[in-house]
Amino acid sequence: MKATIILFKPSGKYYTEEEWEIPAGAIGPYDMKDSPDFRRISGGAVLVDTQEPWGFPHLFPGESQ
């Protein structure tokens, strides 16, 4: 199963949308940090979109520079 992820540049500007593998045992969208596909665009934010199986989004804020 895959989840839709939206990646942002460090400036906060939308960059791209990707499909990431949902890790085994994931309970909520916050568990996507353990996905083998997890990545950031130069430390930018990562948004797990609202979707099944969770029904609510989760934002991984950008890393401080």
Side-chain angles (χ1 to χ4, degrees):
M1 184 180 284
K2 297 203 175 225
T4 302
I5 308 297
I6 300 171
L7 299 173
F8 295 88
K9 293 180 178 181
S11 66
K13 185 175 179 180
Y14 168 81
Y15 183 72
T16 189
E17 188 172 293
E18 297 181 350
E19 296 289 317
W20 289 1
E21 192 69 35
I22 297 175
I27 296 170
Y30 45 82
D31 289 319
M32 288 303 290
K33 70 183 179 311
D34 299 325
S35 172
D37 301 315
F38 187 90
R39 71 184 191 99
R40 294 179 185 268
I41 302 297
S42 301
V46 174
L47 175 66
V48 180
D49 205 2
T50 302
Q51 62 201 297
E52 291 297 327
W54 307 298
F56 59 96
H58 182 74
L59 178 69
F60 295 97
E63 299 173 334
S64 0
Q65 301 285 335

